[in-house]
Amino acid sequence: MTNSTARVRELNLYRQYFELVAAGIKTIEVRVKYPHLADLAAGDIIRFRIKGTDETCDVNVLRVTEYPDFEALLDGEGPVNVNPTATREQQLVNIRTIYGPEKEALGALTIEIERVT
């Protein structure tokens, strides 16, 4: 059930991660602390979209936690909670491929999510 007073944010997601979220396997999303995400909070809804498609998946935001960088994020959350299909080292490489050093310098966010049913 969707909370009708919640703010809905639309964010793009790569297909491989979208499928894990849609299946309820991935419950922690990693983002850079961009200004437009500064006020993201528990109770918000994120509508993930595969860029260039109409495929969407809505999730409830349960918690948002800030970390200084991706290594601290993986240590704090536990790699298996971020992506149960990849090792810590693989995740670090993947995240840093998506977000370069200048983006990581902004800070890292984990967003604990739960699929809207």
Side-chain angles (χ1 to χ4, degrees):
M1 179 187 280
T2 305
N3 178 349
S4 62
T5 62
R7 294 177 300 174
V8 178
R9 308 289 186 100
E10 291 208 10
L11 298 175
N12 289 321
L13 202 56
Y14 288 109
R15 179 171 295 282
Q16 66 190 36
Y17 303 120
F18 180 92
E19 289 175 359
L20 292 172
V21 168
I25 296 167
K26 181 173 171 51
T27 60
I28 301 282
E29 174 60 10
V30 174
R31 293 288 162 147
V32 166
K33 189 181 174 193
Y34 289 122
H36 74 277
L37 296 177
D39 64 344
L40 185 66
D44 289 347
I45 293 171
I46 297 174
R47 177 164 295 130
F48 286 118
R49 178 180 306 278
I50 299 174
K51 192 171 186 172
T53 76
D54 291 333
E55 294 178 72
T56 63
C57 176
D58 289 358
V59 298
N60 290 315
V61 175
L62 302 178
R63 170 180 61 90
V64 179
T65 305
E66 184 178 343
Y67 291 93
D69 56 40
F70 298 132
E71 289 194 39
L73 180 151
L74 289 173
D75 291 343
E77 297 293 330
V80 72
N81 295 319
V82 175
N83 183 351
T85 68
T87 67
R88 181 187 189 281
E89 293 73 28
Q90 290 170 325
Q91 289 182 56
L92 202 51
V93 168
N94 293 343
I95 294 167
R96 286 183 169 153
T97 298
I98 296 168
Y99 301 113
E102 72 286 352
K103 303 291 188 195
E104 186 173 359
L106 297 172
L109 296 176
T110 56
I111 307 164
E112 185 177 4
I113 55 175
E114 176 182 65
R115 178 90 195 267
V116 173
T117 55

